[in-house]
Amino acid sequence: MTSGDFVTASGDGTRAVRAGLPEPVKHEPTLPGPVFAAHFHLPGDPTGPYTYGRDENPTWTLLERAIGELEAPDQEGVTTLAFPSGMAAISAVLFSQLRAGDVVVLPDDGYQVLPLVREQLTSYGIEVRTAPTAGDAQLDVLDGARLLWIETPSNPGLDVCDVRRLVAAAHAQGTLVAVDNTLATPLGQRPLELGADFSVASGTKMLTGHGDILLGYVTALDDALMAPVRRWRKIVGAIPGPMEAWLAHRSLATLQLRADRQNANALLIAEALRGRPEVTGLRHPGLPDDPSHKIAVQQMRRFGCVVSFTLPTRARADRFLDALRLVDDATSFGGVRSTAERRGRWGGDAVPEGFIRLSAGAEDPEDLVADVLRALDESAD
């Protein structure tokens, strides 16, 4: 039985553990170590898969195969390209697919670097339209667009849009659709199955899950669409290091275990916060009364490890973060160690001063909930 046979008929855990593994060879490791090579032996004509280190690397190949098996299991023709960061992956899609005079639709409540991306796109003569994620509002500005960029759930507000509905409207007029799948991960949502042309994500977050790797990727089912993305990676040299790629692949084996624990912890924290009078704007797609829940259950299998809420003031939020003992005051999300931060400190998100984004880790749920509630009590005026 080959590695591919295991992947074809498997659940999330089996798929994550075995994704991308090569055929077993006696005396060889199950997952070969990272290949450090700027060049490869290449007598004669420059043919074959590995010629120069900026173009391909065997360690990338295995990681890209693994991610493709998670993003689009049992699908033929899946192509994945790895990048050194999530923003490198995002930029590769945007700048390889758009030309001067094109229109692109972005969320106005997405990742905080998107406003910088908008400035750069505009300077290249590309028209950028924006609309919120909630209520499928991007449909209102979609007319004539070359590319629709969706981020669902949105970061940090956790709004969810109907991917199938947006894809149908976009494809009806020849518009491409890319979905940022960072927060959901392939175990929570499969954009390509929902009809999207590209699934893009930062592997820095839950995909690798330990807060020690910067990584990004793009996956698609149409190799013709990926050819410009591949060319862009070659031109700008946006390639991952082999050590990072190997560590990422190694980390995928525990993705299902981490995701289940962290998603469960996030929901427990959200439920514990519901009864706190100082907490407003509580959001988590897994809460039955969350504005995003109805759509989320139609397209997501897991609801993510992030909870967002607002405390009355900036000072209260800072005291709360300082009082936490099991939750690190740090940016990013998706790691096995819980983190939280006051998002307003960065200045790039339209959120209240007391807005908290909390990422649940893999700690014992009772300990984690107790720490959060204790910190709320200690931070009171």
Side-chain angles (χ1 to χ4, degrees):
M1 180 176 287
T2 67
S3 173
D5 291 328
F6 277 110
V7 171
T8 299
S10 62
D12 286 342
T14 306
R15 184 176 291 114
V17 167
R18 303 203 62 87
L21 297 182
E23 296 291 337
V25 177
K26 189 175 182 178
H27 306 308
E28 293 294 323
T30 304
L31 177 62
V35 175
F36 299 99
H39 57 263
F40 302 84
H41 287 296
L42 194 66
D45 293 333
T47 59
Y50 305 111
T51 58
Y52 186 63
R54 189 185 62 246
D55 297 330
E56 294 291 347
N57 178 289
T59 310
W60 306 351
T61 299
L62 297 180
L63 172 64
E64 290 168 346
R65 184 192 305 166
I67 293 173
E69 290 171 3
L70 297 177
E71 283 280 351
D74 309 326
Q75 293 282 337
E76 297 292 333
V78 180
T79 301
T80 297
L81 294 174
F83 290 84
S85 70
M87 279 309 306
I90 290 171
S91 298
V93 174
L94 291 171
F95 292 105
S96 70
Q97 301 298 318
L98 297 170
R99 304 288 183 272
D102 284 344
V103 175
V104 61
V105 176
L106 303 178
D108 65 11
D109 55 351
Y111 183 49
Q112 68 168 177
V113 182
L114 288 182
L116 297 178
V117 173
R118 177 179 184 173
E119 292 179 10
Q120 196 66 44
L121 290 169
T122 301
S123 73
Y124 290 162
I126 297 164
E127 180 184 344
V128 180
R129 302 173 188 162
T130 63
T133 299
D136 302 337
Q138 288 173 296
L139 288 173
D140 297 333
V141 294
L142 188 60
D143 187 47
R146 162 69 178 165
L147 176 66
L148 167 64
W149 191 274
I150 296 171
E151 185 179 302
T152 181
S154 62
N155 172 31
L158 302 182
D159 280 315
V160 172
C161 59
D162 187 335
V163 176
R164 292 185 184 90
R165 182 186 181 203
L166 286 158
V167 165
H171 285 177
Q173 63 174 25
T175 300
L176 296 172
V177 180
V179 176
D180 187 328
N181 204 35
T182 301
L183 200 146
T185 81
L187 298 195
Q189 179 174 264
R190 294 179 185 145
L192 302 181
E193 289 185 1
L194 299 173
D197 300 289
F198 300 99
S199 182
V200 187
S202 168
T204 307
K205 314 299 193 296
M206 179 173 275
L207 190 83
T208 56
H210 291 78
D212 54 7
I213 303 170
L214 289 175
L215 195 83
Y217 69 86
V218 181
T219 301
L221 296 176
D222 186 341
D223 195 54
L225 284 178
M226 289 293 279
V229 181
R230 187 185 300 275
R231 182 173 181 268
W232 176 266
R233 185 175 72 171
K234 178 183 177 71
I235 291 170
V236 302
I239 57 173
M243 190 66 190
E244 286 79 8
W246 183 84
L247 286 170
H249 196 168
R250 187 276 317 262
S251 299
L252 288 183
T254 60
L255 177 57
Q256 182 259 336
L257 298 172
R258 291 184 282 108
D260 282 352
R261 178 62 166 260
Q262 292 176 240
N263 281 230
N265 279 350
L267 184 57
L268 286 172
I269 292 171
E271 290 171 341
L273 291 173
R274 293 171 83 177
R276 301 291 302 213
E278 68 270 54
V279 171
T280 59
L282 176 64
R283 297 298 304 272
H284 180 69
L287 290 171
D289 57 350
D290 187 272
S292 294
H293 185 73
K294 182 178 179 180
I295 298 174
V297 297
Q298 297 173 14
Q299 63 190 31
M300 299 182 72
R301 298 179 299 128
R302 293 173 176 84
F303 300 115
C305 65
V306 177
V307 179
S308 66
F309 57 96
T310 300
L311 294 176
T313 64
R314 171 177 177 170
R316 177 68 187 276
D318 286 339
R319 291 198 302 271
F320 166 73
L321 293 169
D322 188 58
L324 292 166
R325 294 294 175 265
L326 297 179
V327 182
D328 296 332
D329 190 343
T331 194
S332 197
F333 58 85
V336 291
R337 289 171 288 278
S338 295
T339 60
E341 69 171 337
R342 190 180 62 80
R343 285 299 294 175
R345 66 180 177 172
W346 297 102
D349 297 306
V351 295
E353 287 285 356
F355 182 94
I356 301 290
R357 184 184 70 184
L358 189 152
S359 172
E363 297 88 355
D364 285 310
E366 298 83 0
D367 293 337
L368 194 53
V369 170
D371 188 49
V372 170
L373 295 181
R374 179 196 51 76
L376 280 176
D377 290 337
E378 290 186 7
S379 64
D381 294 333

